[in-house]
Amino acid sequence: MNRKIGNATSKRSLRPDIQGLRMIAVVAVIFDHLLAWPSGGFVGVDVFFVISGFLITGILIREHEKTNHISFVGFYKRRIKRIVPAATAVLIATVAAAFVIFTNSRYIQTFWDAVYAFFFSANWHFAAVGTDYFQQAGPVSPLQHFWSLSVEEQFYFVWPWLMLGILALAGLRTGFRRRRTVLGIVMTVIIVVTFVWAMYESTSNPTVAYFSTFTRAWELGVGALLAITTPWWGRINLVWRTVLGWIGLVGIVASYFVINDGLPFPAPWAALPVLATAVVIIAGVGGEQRYLWPLTNPVSFYIGNISYSLYLWHFPIIIFAAILLGSNPWVVYPVTIAAIIVFSVASYHLIEEPIQHSPWLTPKPKSRRAQNRWGEWRAQYGKRMKFGWLGILGAVCAGLVVTGLTINYSVPPSSQALSFAPATTSATDPADVPVTAASTEHDAINAALTVTEFPALQPSVDQLGIGGWSDTLRATGCLDVVPENVDSCVFGPADADKDVVVFGDSYGMSWMPGIRNALESSGWRIHQITRGQCPSIEVDVVKDTDTPYPECIEWRAWALQTIAAIQPDLTILASGDSTGQRLVSKATGTEMRNQIAAGTTAMLNQVVPLSGQTVIMGAPPRGAILQECFKVGAVPKDCTTRPADLWSDFTGGQEAAAGPASVPYIQTRDWVCGDSGWCPPFVGTTPLRVDNAHLTIEFSTMLGPVIAEALAAQTQSPSTNPSAEPAA
C-alpha cells in the first residue's frame, strides 16, 4: 500500500460514478418525502454520508501528503463556499414563505428551526423535539431535512483536527509512508465504537439515534476509511471492478425496498446501504467505470451535480405545495416535481456554481493575473447572475402577489362560546322529550359540520399546539403526577366528603378541566393521577419514540397504592387510543383489541376493589391537526375526519372488558362526531383539539355538564350535578 500512495491519492476530475451515486441518493430521498415510496428511500442520506466521508478525507490526505500539514483556514473556507450560500438562500426563502403561508405560531417555529439549521445544530434540535412527547405531535418543519447537513458539518469540524493529530503523532516514530496505516487503525476503532453505540441507541432511544452525530459517525467513517485505504483498491482489474460496481448498485437499490421505518435504524440496517455504497466507490478507485451506465450516463452526472440544491429545496417545496395545491395527486405531484427541478437548477447555476468558482474567501492575490480574477469571474458569470436573478426576483414577486391574493384567513365575526344547556323539557315537543346537555352538545356538533367558513376561533389556531397546552397544565404543577407532587394535585372543596380519582395518561389530563367543571361544584374532591403515555391499562408499552418505558410499570404500581390509600368513592380510568400503537408486542387489529381487553380487565381487577365505583371514560376519536389543515383556501370540511380503525379496535377492547366486570363504559364518540359519522374540528367558535388527539382546555371545560350527566347516568351517585355550567 505504501508504495502506491502517490498514484492513489493524486487528484483527478470528478468521478462520474460518484455523481451517479449522488443522483440515486437524492432521487430516493425526494420520492420518499413526496410519495412515501420506496419504504426505505430515506437511506439515500446514508449514501451521502459515505460519499462525504470519502471525498473530504481524500482532500485532507492529499493536502497533508503534499505539504505535510493541513490548512484549517483553507479547509473551512472551502466548506463555507460549498455549503453556506445555497443553504442560506433556502433558509431565507423558506422563512419568508412560512411568513406568508403559515399561521403565526408555525411561522415562529420555522424561524427558530432556520436559526438552528444555520448554525449547524438542526439535528440536535429535531432530536429534542422528537423526544418531547408534548412537541412531537406538531406539524412537520419544512427545514427538518437540514439535520443531515448538521451531522456532516459537525463531522467536518472535528475530523480534520483529529486527523492532523493522528498524522502528527504517527510521524514522530514512523516514516511518512506508515502514517496511513495508523490513521486507518484509528478510523476502524471509531467505526466499530460508534456502530456499537448506534446499535444500542437504535433500540433504546431511536429518535435520538436517528439524528445523533455519534450514531452516524460510523457511516462517514466508512467513507473516510475508504479514502485512507485507496492504494489497496487501485489494483483491482476492470472485470472485478465492474462486477463490484453492479453488486454495490444492486445493494443500494435493494436497501430502498428492504428497509422501512419499523426496523432498528441507523444500526444495524443502515449497514446495507453504507457497505453497498462503499463497494461502488471501491470499484471506481482503479480507473473509470466503463460499464456502470446507470451511474455514469450524462443525465445521472448532471443530477449528481445539482444534488445538493435538489436536497436543499425539495422538502420545503413539498411542504408548501401540499398546503397551496390541495390533495389532488394529479396536480400536486407534477407541479411539486416541476417546482423542485426549477428551483434546484436555478440554485445550482446562480448560487452554487458561481460562488464556488469565485475568488470569494481566497487570499489576497499578489500577481496581476491573480488580481484580475474577479474580472474574469464577472466575464464568465456576470450575465448569468444579472439576468438570472432578475428573473428569479420577478418570479418571486409574482408568486407573492398571487399567494397574497389567494390567501384568505378572514373569518366571520366571533360569536359567543357555547354553553350546553342543563337538562330541561321541550315545551313544543308533544312527546315531552327531555333536552339534555348531551343532546344540546350533539346538536352543536352536527351544526358545526354544516359551517362553510372558519369562524373566529377561540383559542385561535396560532394558540393551539400540544406544547402550549402542556405548558398550561404544567403551570398547575400537575402534568405528570408523581409522589413529589401528588398532594398538590387535588382539586375541589377542602371539606368535601366525596373523593374521585382520575387515573390515566395524557388523555386523562385533557379530561381534567371537564371533570372538574362537572364535579367540583357538587362537593367532590378530585385527585389527579396521570402520567404522559402511561395508560391505566395493564399492558407493556413503549414511548412514541419507540423507546422502552419501564418507568410506566413502576408508576402504575405506585398509582394503585395511592388509590388504595385514598379509597375514593369513584375512580375514572382514561387512556388514549395511541396505547394500541405503542404495545411492546406490536400487535395490530384483532390481536391488539384482545390485548387491550385483557389489559383493561387486569387493571379493573385491581382498581374495582379499591374504589366505591369505577368508570371507564372512552377515548374520543382523533381529528385533524388544525395547524396543518387550516391553510390557504381551506374550508372547515377540509378538517373533518372519521374515527380511525385504531380508535375502533382500542375502544372495542375496552368495552369488551367493561361489560363482564360490570363497570360502566362512557362512549364519547357522539361528543365529538356527528350523526353522519364525520367529526368537525370545532364546535361554535371553540376548537376541539390542540393537536390530533388531546382536547383543548376550553372544549373540555364546556363538556362539564355533559360529563356530569354521563356520570350520573352510569353511576349510583345522585350527587353528580348535571346542571353544572361551563367555568369561566
Side-chain angles (χ1 to χ4, degrees):
M1 182 177 80
N2 295 322
R3 290 194 298 271
K4 295 287 186 179
I5 283 178
N7 293 333
T9 59
S10 60
K11 186 175 181 179
R12 62 186 222 230
S13 60
L14 213 55
R15 282 175 48 176
D17 57 329
I18 287 183
Q19 295 304 88
L21 282 175
R22 284 175 164 150
M23 179 275 297
I24 64 170
V26 76
V27 168
V29 171
I30 292 172
F31 277 19
D32 177 62
H33 288 155
L34 179 61
L35 308 175
W37 178 90
S39 63
F42 57 88
V43 306
V45 171
D46 305 272
V47 176
F48 277 124
F49 284 157
V50 180
I51 295 172
S52 295
F54 174 74
L55 295 178
I56 292 300
T57 305
I59 291 171
L60 295 172
I61 288 178
R62 283 194 296 270
E63 180 179 2
H64 190 271
E65 293 182 348
K66 181 178 180 181
T67 66
N68 207 32
H69 78 281
I70 294 173
S71 172
F72 293 104
V73 173
F75 174 78
Y76 291 122
K77 282 182 177 180
R78 292 191 298 270
R79 288 291 85 205
I80 290 172
K81 288 176 67 173
R82 175 73 179 93
I83 299 294
V84 173
T88 302
V90 173
L91 293 176
I92 293 173
T94 302
V95 170
F99 179 78
V100 175
I101 297 172
F102 285 166
T103 58
N104 186 59
S105 60
R106 195 173 181 189
Y107 158 71
I108 293 173
Q109 171 194 314
T110 303
F111 172 81
W112 285 110
D113 292 342
V115 171
Y116 282 103
F118 183 79
F119 290 103
F120 302 117
S121 57
N123 60 321
W124 296 112
H125 169 60
F126 289 121
V129 170
T131 55
D132 185 342
Y133 175 59
F134 297 109
Q135 293 188 60
Q136 60 184 282
V140 176
S141 169
L143 298 173
Q144 184 166 292
H145 63 310
F146 269 76
W147 74 268
S148 64
L149 299 181
S150 297
V151 170
E152 288 193 13
E153 293 308 309
Q154 290 160 22
F155 178 81
Y156 296 157
F157 182 78
V158 174
W159 179 228
W161 293 92
L162 184 60
M163 264 188 69
L164 183 62
I166 296 169
L167 290 169
L169 290 174
L172 294 177
R173 292 174 175 263
T174 64
F176 178 77
R177 295 175 180 272
R178 298 290 180 183
R179 296 182 190 179
R180 276 193 185 231
T181 304
V182 177
L183 196 61
I185 292 171
V186 172
M187 180 48 68
T188 300
V189 172
I190 292 173
I191 292 170
V192 172
V193 170
T194 56
F195 181 79
V196 171
W197 176 247
M199 288 277 289
Y200 171 76
E201 284 283 88
S202 294
T203 54
S204 63
N205 203 353
T207 299
V208 172
Y210 191 86
F211 292 113
S212 172
T213 308
F214 303 113
T215 56
R216 296 288 188 165
W218 65 274
E219 301 180 39
L220 289 135
V222 167
L225 187 61
L226 292 180
I228 295 167
T229 58
T230 47
W232 289 353
W233 318 119
R235 301 175 179 179
I236 303 175
N237 63 42
L238 177 61
V239 174
W240 278 108
R241 289 196 299 106
T242 302
V243 172
L244 287 175
W246 277 99
I247 290 174
L249 178 59
V250 170
I252 294 171
V253 174
S255 70
Y256 293 160
F257 295 92
V258 171
I259 295 172
N260 59 66
D261 57 11
L263 298 174
F265 205 86
W269 282 95
L272 175 56
V274 165
L275 295 178
T277 303
V279 170
V280 175
I281 293 175
I282 287 171
V285 168
E288 181 182 354
Q289 275 286 13
R290 300 178 184 177
Y291 305 108
L292 202 61
W293 54 265
L295 300 183
T296 57
N297 66 80
V299 174
S300 295
F301 187 83
Y302 180 74
I303 295 175
N305 284 345
I306 67 171
S307 59
Y308 180 54
S309 284
L310 282 167
Y311 185 80
L312 289 175
W313 285 102
H314 85 280
F315 199 60
I317 289 175
I318 288 172
I319 296 296
F320 292 131
I323 294 174
L324 296 172
L325 301 177
S327 58
N328 185 342
W330 297 104
V331 175
V332 174
Y333 295 154
V335 173
T336 301
I337 291 173
I340 291 171
I341 293 173
V342 169
F343 275 85
S344 301
V345 170
S347 177
Y348 175 73
H349 290 289
L350 298 179
I351 300 176
E352 274 194 75
E353 191 179 32
I355 292 179
Q356 280 226 254
H357 291 88
S358 74
W360 180 53
L361 296 181
T362 55
K364 189 175 181 179
K366 296 180 180 180
S367 68
R368 181 175 295 276
R369 175 170 175 77
Q371 291 174 356
N372 291 331
R373 287 187 63 192
W374 275 112
E376 296 171 356
W377 179 84
R378 282 191 292 270
Q380 182 176 358
Y381 295 101
K383 288 186 178 180
R384 180 195 303 185
M385 299 290 288
K386 178 180 178 181
F387 294 108
W389 280 106
L390 283 176
I392 287 180
L393 182 61
V396 169
C397 290
L400 290 175
V401 170
V402 171
T403 303
L405 292 174
T406 56
I407 291 179
N408 180 17
Y409 281 138
S410 62
V411 293
S414 178
S415 59
Q416 295 295 320
L418 290 179
S419 177
F420 300 129
T424 61
T425 300
S426 172
T428 59
D429 192 335
D432 203 34
V433 176
V435 178
T436 63
S439 65
T440 302
E441 194 274 341
H442 190 62
D443 289 343
I445 289 289
N446 284 323
L449 289 167
T450 66
V451 176
T452 57
E453 295 182 14
F454 280 99
L457 298 175
Q458 296 295 330
S460 68
V461 175
D462 282 338
Q463 295 172 303
L464 298 178
I466 193 70
W469 175 85
S470 63
D471 288 343
T472 301
L473 296 183
R474 189 178 285 111
T476 68
C478 301
L479 191 62
D480 284 342
V481 181
V482 292
E484 290 74 20
N485 66 343
V486 64
D487 292 334
S488 302
C489 299
V490 181
F491 308 93
D495 58 349
D497 58 359
K498 295 173 292 185
D499 291 282
V500 57
V501 167
V502 179
F503 175 30
D505 53 19
S506 58
Y507 279 67
M509 301 176 198
S510 71
W511 286 121
M512 275 298 297
I515 292 172
R516 290 184 61 183
N517 188 31
L519 300 180
E520 278 187 10
S521 59
S522 301
W524 286 82
R525 183 167 43 238
I526 305 167
H527 302 259
Q528 181 179 344
I529 302 180
T530 58
R531 177 162 181 160
Q533 303 190 72
C534 192
S536 51
I537 303 174
E538 200 68 41
V539 290
D540 292 335
V541 295
V542 295
K543 294 183 179 179
D544 274 351
T545 53
D546 281 338
T547 50
Y549 199 12
E551 300 88 351
C552 181
I553 299 174
E554 300 169 4
W555 180 84
R556 271 200 300 258
W558 167 81
L560 289 169
Q561 293 173 358
T562 305
I563 294 172
I566 296 171
Q567 294 187 329
D569 300 276
L570 174 65
T571 298
I572 300 174
L573 306 184
S575 303
D577 59 359
S578 63
T579 302
Q581 294 176 309
R582 296 185 292 107
L583 295 175
V584 170
S585 66
K586 303 294 185 183
T588 59
T590 302
E591 180 57 30
M592 183 267 281
R593 179 192 292 238
N594 293 338
Q595 290 187 22
I596 293 298
T600 302
T601 298
M603 181 57 70
L604 291 176
N605 289 339
Q606 299 174 78
V607 171
V608 170
L610 306 177
S611 179
Q613 298 176 72
T614 303
V615 170
I616 298 176
M617 181 80 79
R622 299 187 184 201
I625 300 176
L626 265 171
Q627 289 173 296
E628 291 184 350
C629 66
F630 182 72
K631 58 190 179 183
V632 179
V635 294
K637 186 178 179 181
D638 297 328
C639 299
T640 59
T641 56
R642 285 183 178 274
D645 291 341
L646 171 67
W647 175 84
S648 300
D649 290 333
F650 176 81
T651 55
Q654 286 216 293
E655 281 192 277
S662 299
V663 169
Y665 181 87
I666 298 177
Q667 176 61 262
T668 62
R669 179 187 54 235
D670 291 345
W671 297 359
V672 295
C673 300
D675 293 331
S676 62
W678 288 94
C679 314
F682 58 83
V683 56
T685 59
T686 304
L688 268 62
R689 305 172 186 85
V690 293
D691 54 359
N692 67 337
H694 301 85
L695 302 180
T696 62
I697 294 172
E698 292 77 10
F699 181 65
S700 179
T701 302
M702 288 167 56
L703 286 175
V706 181
I707 294 172
E709 281 184 353
L711 291 175
Q714 297 291 349
T715 67
Q716 300 169 4
S717 172
S719 301
T720 51
N721 181 14
S723 300
E725 292 294 333

